[in-house]
Amino acid sequence: MVVNNNQSRREVLKTIGAASAVGATGLAGCLGDGEEVVTIGATSTGSSTQAAAQALARAANQHSETVRVDPQETGGWTANLYEFEGGDIPAMGVDNNSLAKAMAGEGPFEDEPVDTLPMQGFIFTSLEMYWMAIEGSGIESTQDIEDGGYTIYPIQPGFGTRLLTQEVIERAGLWEQNDINNLDTGDIAGAVEEGRIDAMVVYGANGVDLTGWAQEVDARAEGELYAIPIHDTFEEAIDNTPGALKTEFEPYGWLNQEAVTSRTDTVTSWALAGQWAFGPDISADATYELCRLAVEHDDTIRESDPTTLDHTPESMTDAVIEDLEIHPGVADFFEEHGVWDDSWIRGEV
């Protein structure tokens, strides 16, 4: 679906253990005493979405009498839209690029469209993707990758970060002439450690820290990774890719890579916003309560996930797509706090 390497949609959409967990708790149900369980498709172990969902679950456990959050492991942001349509998850983390492409029937959704989309919730992260190369690869910039013959890791298939990254790389003309590694994020640290990768795309969250799987790469790579600059063609590709926000910053979060800035002091990133999205099986009361937790108990959330955004009612609207419905509980929260825009669409449950 996301890649053109003869992968079926179901191969990309492997939801590890979701069936048994859903059978135990229900997709969207009650625990008793009026508590509603919100099962969230939270992508893979070690991902920024999984960390954010676990943090939200902690805040609900400690500070809510009405809602509990049950994060489920899934195949990624883009994969979550197929899981939602199939009735496997009632809520999810998803990126705006995947949502926009699903709405327009473009990208992976051109051949395999989804007819049912979730309603929008609120932004929970901005992921900043950029290039790293491995010592001994001979790669000094993306210009070298353009020459071809390298093994590159453009993030796990099914991730929204992969969907956007692949589009940027293809626009820059760096895809076909290189060998694309499609390992899960949980396996990539071993591949780097064993010297099976020449260059890879990694990402951090909100300028704070690397995502969990990239931290594992850092821990196991033993000083072999360094950031590389991009050349003009790649920069133009970022500029011309809808949904890609170009940013420049010093690479952060690397603890074991002494040569991380040996080729460049700064990296150029194509950033991607992620938001929580909810289906009609989730009540308006539950999504309103999740909004309240995000604002009033961000300290608890940050204790669990230090990369979390500093939520205010205003900042929670940063990822709103005008043509897609907003869950009514989220809409109520936005209206109550004076940040609702009348051009937005209120959904129904």
Side-chain angles (χ1 to χ4, degrees), residues 132-141 144-145 148-152 195-200 224-226 228 263:
M132 297 285 287
I134 286 75
E135 287 286 359
S137 66
I139 297 173
E140 299 296 323
S141 78
D144 297 314
I145 300 175
Y150 295 100
T151 299
I152 63 175
R196 293 187 279 127
I197 303 294
D198 295 310
M200 63 188 304
E224 296 181 353
L225 287 142
Y226 56 90
I228 58 172
R263 274 69 168 182

Side-chain angles (χ1 to χ4, degrees), residues 122-190:
F122 55 91
I123 188 172
F124 68 88
T125 194
S126 178
L127 301 184
E128 298 163 327
M129 294 160 280
Y130 57 94
W131 283 103
M132 297 285 287
I134 286 75
E135 287 286 359
S137 66
I139 297 173
E140 299 296 323
S141 78
T142 53
Q143 177 75 65
D144 297 314
I145 300 175
E146 187 176 58
D147 295 337
Y150 295 100
T151 299
I152 63 175
Y153 183 65
I155 310 175
Q156 177 178 326
F159 278 33
T161 46
R162 164 62 177 263
L163 178 62
L164 184 62
T165 293
Q166 179 169 341
E167 185 171 354
V168 173
I169 293 174
E170 288 180 335
R171 283 180 182 270
L174 277 64
W175 189 267
E176 296 294 339
Q177 66 271 47
N178 290 291
D179 179 32
I180 307 301
N181 183 292
N182 290 312
L183 283 175
D184 290 356
T185 53
D187 298 323
I188 193 61

Side-chain angles (χ1 to χ4, degrees), residues 277-347:
F278 307 95
D281 290 341
I282 308 298
S283 73
D285 288 343
T287 59
Y288 181 96
E289 178 71 351
L290 293 179
C291 290
R292 184 191 71 82
L293 291 169
V295 172
E296 295 183 9
H297 297 286
D298 63 328
D299 53 342
T300 300
I301 293 173
R302 187 166 286 104
E303 287 174 3
S304 176
D305 176 16
T307 70
T308 192
L309 288 171
D310 184 12
H311 276 124
T312 66
E314 291 82 5
S315 70
M316 292 169 73
T317 69
D318 285 348
V320 169
I321 299 172
E322 287 193 359
D323 295 330
L324 184 62
E325 293 178 339
I326 297 174
H327 198 278
V330 179
D332 289 343
F333 187 88
F334 289 169
E335 286 185 341
E336 183 177 304
H337 290 82
V339 296
W340 177 261
D341 189 312
D342 288 338
S343 67
W344 298 342
I345 306 170
R346 171 187 287 269

Side-chain angles (χ1 to χ4, degrees), residues 49-71:
T49 306
Q50 187 69 225
Q54 295 288 352
L56 189 61
R58 177 179 177 179
N61 286 337
Q62 294 186 12
H63 302 293
S64 178
E65 297 180 354
T66 61
V67 70
R68 291 291 178 267
V69 174
D70 181 21

